[in-house]
Amino acid sequence: MFKLFSPFAFFASLIVSAAAHAEPYIGMAKPWQLGFQTPASPVMERLNTMHDYLLVLIIAISVFVLLLLVYICLRYHHTRNPVASKTTHNTKLEIIWTIIPIVILVAIAIPSLRLHYYMQRDVNPELTVKVTGYQWYWHYDYPDNGGFGFDSYIKKGNDLKKDDIRQLAVDNALVVPVNTKVRVQITAADVIHSWSVPAFGVKKDAVPGRLNETWFEATRIGTFYGQCSQLCGVGHGFMPVAVQVVSKDDFAAWVKQHAPAPTPTPAPAATSAPKPAAPPASTPAPAEKKINTKDKATH
Ligand SMILES: [Cu+2]
């Protein structure tokens, strides 16, 4: 038993914890967590600041109202104030309690609208990915990199490996480079879904027949998780979002691996040999067709 508390064990535990820190970062909610996930994008950092600012305002207002109530209860108790005042109007006071709330609302509205504007517009995106929600999985396309795409399904049961997080691990994560402005175009092919990654401050509805747009810039390497955030049917809880942020070099290598090979040969041999490479490139097409038909149907 004593060996457990020996200096050796202590240093061993330090080494183990140091090794744990060297592991890739995982962006997800932790048990008993209070507050937001650690921000990993400029948008989420600003959302955090906005949240803290509002918290200060809310606490100040709540404390002021509480103190006022306590003061009134004590000062105007019938034992101290047996004859109640008959005053009903006080112009000065009414002007003050109209103007102060207006000032507070303006002080909230200005930074809030600025942040909304910042979140909405994507300034010179360096990469575009298209996200399509399906019942019940996500499909990701890379139009800038040859238009290849793939499905992203939750890993369940026997597919889960040792380090996989249950209910969040997927077979194919969206891969993006770090410190790169990524424009995300979001739509759906059946019902409304919502693509969200809390650490990036991103949550956008995926609506059939509509192309929504948002952006993020991941500031750290790691895997970031989110979940579908619009009730979309029985599989709603089983279509997690996983974004793998890698270095720019790793991303280039990954694209090389997955992008469809360029087809320089015009049409000399239409044999069945190159067919295996075709499915990834052709999968997005039916999705777009589906969306178009729905679009026409709804209008
Ligand atoms: Cu969904």
Side-chain angles (χ1 to χ4, degrees):
M1 273 303 278
F2 262 96
K3 285 225 162 142
L4 273 179
F5 303 103
S6 70
F8 172 76
F10 175 70
F11 284 115
S13 72
L14 275 189
I15 290 165
V16 168
S17 65
H21 278 284
E23 277 174 15
Y25 182 79
I26 293 173
M28 60 177 280
K30 308 282 178 334
W32 298 101
Q33 176 177 336
L34 283 177
F36 294 125
Q37 293 181 27
T38 312
S41 82
V43 164
M44 194 56 213
E45 272 161 28
R46 289 181 191 214
L47 282 169
N48 250 359
T49 310
M50 183 71 196
H51 168 267
D52 294 349
Y53 166 66
L54 287 180
L55 204 62
V56 170
L57 270 182
I58 290 165
I59 290 172
I61 293 168
S62 305
V63 167
F64 172 71
V65 171
L66 179 72
L67 290 179
L68 214 57
L69 279 174
V70 170
Y71 172 75
I72 290 165
C73 289
L74 296 177
R75 171 67 183 77
Y76 296 99
H77 191 259
H78 67 94
T79 52
R80 282 186 200 84
N81 189 44
V83 186
S85 159
K86 295 272 168 63
T87 310
T88 53
H89 282 78
N90 185 324
T91 311
K92 222 188 255 174
L93 191 64
E94 283 163 19
I95 288 172
I96 289 171
W97 76 37
T98 305
I99 287 182
I100 289 179
I102 289 174
V103 170
I104 294 173
L105 287 180
V106 170
I108 293 173
I110 290 172
S112 175
L113 290 174
R114 282 179 63 151
L115 182 54
H116 266 284
Y117 186 66
Y118 179 70
M119 289 164 72
Q120 192 60 40
R121 65 186 180 147
D122 43 341
V123 190
N124 306 324
E126 296 156 77
L127 174 73
T128 301
V129 292
K130 187 180 161 203
V131 177
T132 312
Y134 288 86
Q135 283 176 316
W136 288 276
Y137 60 95
W138 296 100
H139 180 88
Y140 299 123
D141 285 309
Y142 289 76
D144 295 349
N145 304 90
F148 71 94
F150 53 84
D151 295 334
S152 179
Y153 279 90
I154 187 172
K155 272 193 196 173
K156 278 181 167 177
N158 295 336
D159 297 336
L160 282 168
K161 293 201 183 99
K162 196 181 133 247
D163 292 329
D164 284 343
I165 299 151
R166 199 177 72 86
Q167 298 286 65
L168 290 179
V170 300
D171 57 355
N172 299 307
L174 176 73
V175 180
V176 294
V178 73
N179 296 328
T180 304
K181 278 207 170 106
V182 181
R183 177 207 281 155
V184 192
Q185 297 185 321
I186 302 169
T187 187
D190 35 45
V191 299
I192 301 177
H193 302 268
S194 180
W195 196 79
S196 86
V197 184
F200 298 158
V202 167
K203 178 180 277 178
K204 262 280 185 247
D205 275 8
V207 183
R210 185 187 160 91
L211 194 68
N212 278 339
E213 208 170 274
T214 186
W215 70 279
F216 68 84
E217 182 181 344
T219 49
R220 70 190 297 178
I221 287 172
T223 308
F224 297 85
Y225 292 103
Q227 282 161 317
C228 178
S229 302
Q230 280 285 5
L231 209 51
C232 59
V234 288
H236 167 65
F238 309 101
M239 49 183 299
V241 173
V243 181
Q244 203 183 336
V245 181
V246 298
S247 69
K248 290 187 181 184
D249 292 343
D250 287 353
F251 180 75
W254 178 84
V255 165
K256 230 180 215 174
Q257 220 175 37
H258 289 79
T263 45
T265 43
T271 54
S272 57
K275 268 194 177 164
S282 63
T283 34
E288 273 160 18
K289 264 181 203 160
K290 252 188 235 169
I291 292 157
N292 286 342
T293 50
K294 281 217 169 173
D295 202 17
K296 274 172 199 159
T298 46
H299 288 288

